[in-house]
Amino acid sequence: MSRTTQNRRTFSHALPWALAIGLPLVLGGCAGGSNKTTTPSPEMQREGRAVLSNERQETTPAAGAKGQEPQPVGLATRGDTPTWTIVLARPIGSEPDAADRLLQNIRTYGGVPEARLETRRGKALVVYGRYASPDDPSATRDLERFRERQVEGKQIFAGAFLAPPPDESLHGSNPEWDLRNVKQRFGDDALYTLQVGVYARLDGRAPTSEDLSQFRAAAERAVAQLRADGEQAFYHHGPSASTVTVGVFGESDFDPDGGGFESPQLADARKRHPNNLVNGQGFYETLRTDTGQAVRRLQRSQLVSIPDR
């Protein structure tokens, strides 16, 4: 396998992700950096794969926030927000009516008349409930109730679990601006994009349905403004946050081996957008070098991989 092919595979799953706040998605080297790979938390792994980080960091809001978390500016709630749900079972077999028969059994034999079918990535699931976030008290209560429910002495829902909103619900209002569609439009040579903004909670708590609506609305407004200014901008909505990126870059624009090469087009994009804004504001991070020296700076814009088709 060629090194080029290996590099493509290395970054193919490194989705742009909001918690660059806690883990920079910088792919290039930095003088004096520790050159260590940072392992993301389980929550981060649910939204994207681990990416190479060259420096350890601590982060704080920009000074203008007076020590407070930056808050989304000018956000408006949108309807039809995707919700979390409890997955009770999935059909076994490929018979056309397998899903319908399973649903009826769960509604009658299982005693869950509110159960419904939901399709995710082309596969039918029997699900229950709609919850604003995974830490919704009612979600925890309902999940425990189903896992403990017994029918004729058997815990038929022992394997029930809470699932995030389906991918299909995260595409936003304009497919042309959705980063998930970039490779479909530009081909598989579209490898990277520059993350310049993120909308997310900073308190470590799971976002509510209203939070997600606000983050997505804010990200799409930011993309609209960037495009009005002549930028090739995109949004990426995830289960926990939304990001904003600019540009489409390929193999000739960046050297993933750490040689430091960047094309004039990528360098110019970094010059126009030097920072990765958090909820519309600058966000300070403290970087630790190999010698232990602390360097405080605004978080910079970050090169991230474009999702596969």
Side-chain angles (χ1 to χ4, degrees), residues 64-149:
K66 298 181 180 180
Q68 302 297 317
E69 297 172 359
Q71 297 299 314
V73 179
L75 304 184
T77 302
R78 296 169 55 196
D80 301 325
T81 302
T83 56
W84 292 67
T85 188
I86 293 175
V87 177
L88 298 176
R90 66 184 66 199
I92 299 176
S94 57
E95 294 83 359
D97 62 343
D100 290 330
R101 286 190 285 107
L102 177 61
L103 176 62
Q104 292 306 315
N105 285 337
I106 288 178
R107 284 177 170 177
T108 55
Y109 175 75
V112 191
E114 307 90 350
R116 67 184 188 278
L117 287 178
E118 190 171 279
T119 301
R120 296 190 176 214
R121 299 190 180 184
K123 296 182 179 179
L125 301 173
V126 179
V127 304
Y128 172 91
R130 292 180 174 87
Y131 309 97
S133 68
D135 59 357
D136 185 329
S138 60
T140 303
R141 182 177 62 251
D142 290 345
L143 183 60
E144 182 178 358
R145 174 168 58 89
F146 278 117
R147 286 176 173 173
E148 294 179 350
R149 173 175 295 188

Side-chain angles (χ1 to χ4, degrees), residues 5-247:
T5 302
Q6 290 175 329
N7 289 335
R8 285 185 176 180
R9 292 189 177 182
T10 299
F11 295 107
S12 64
H13 296 291
L15 303 184
W17 201 68
L19 289 189
I21 299 164
L23 174 68
L25 300 185
V26 179
L27 305 186
C30 179
S34 63
N35 291 322
K36 294 181 179 179
T37 300
T38 304
T39 302
S41 67
E43 182 181 358
M44 294 178 70
Q45 292 178 9
R46 286 195 292 270
E47 284 199 37
R49 301 297 183 186
V51 295
L52 182 63
S53 174
N54 292 328
E55 297 166 303
R56 293 177 291 112
Q57 67 173 357
E58 301 165 358
T59 55
T60 55
K66 298 181 180 180
Q68 302 297 317
E69 297 172 359
Q71 297 299 314
V73 179
L75 304 184
T77 302
R78 296 169 55 196
D80 301 325
T81 302
T83 56
W84 292 67
T85 188
I86 293 175
V87 177
L88 298 176
R90 66 184 66 199
I92 299 176
S94 57
E95 294 83 359
D97 62 343
D100 290 330
R101 286 190 285 107
L102 177 61
L103 176 62
Q104 292 306 315
N105 285 337
I106 288 178
R107 284 177 170 177
T108 55
Y109 175 75
V112 191
E114 307 90 350
R116 67 184 188 278
L117 287 178
E118 190 171 279
T119 301
R120 296 190 176 214
R121 299 190 180 184
K123 296 182 179 179
L125 301 173
V126 179
V127 304
Y128 172 91
R130 292 180 174 87
Y131 309 97
S133 68
D135 59 357
D136 185 329
S138 60
T140 303
R141 182 177 62 251
D142 290 345
L143 183 60
E144 182 178 358
R145 174 168 58 89
F146 278 117
R147 286 176 173 173
E148 294 179 350
R149 173 175 295 188
Q150 293 191 9
V151 177
E152 296 183 359
K154 297 180 180 180
Q155 292 178 288
I156 62 174
F157 300 124
F161 62 93
L162 193 64
D167 291 345
E168 293 83 354
S169 66
L170 301 176
H171 289 294
S173 63
N174 191 328
E176 184 178 350
W177 298 358
D178 192 335
L179 195 65
R180 288 181 173 87
N181 298 328
V182 166
K183 287 195 175 182
Q184 181 177 347
R185 295 178 54 213
F186 294 89
D188 291 335
D189 289 336
L191 301 178
Y192 313 111
T193 185
L194 189 66
Q195 181 177 309
V196 300
V198 55
Y199 294 88
R201 291 190 66 131
L202 305 183
D203 57 6
R205 297 177 60 186
T208 65
S209 177
E210 182 178 359
D211 289 335
L212 291 176
S213 291
Q214 294 179 345
F215 298 154
R216 290 164 186 158
E220 293 189 28
R221 282 201 304 273
V223 169
Q225 182 60 60
L226 286 167
R227 286 184 168 251
D229 294 338
E231 292 284 0
Q232 186 183 37
F234 305 95
Y235 62 76
H236 182 277
H237 298 322
S240 299
S242 293
T243 57
V244 176
T245 73
V246 297

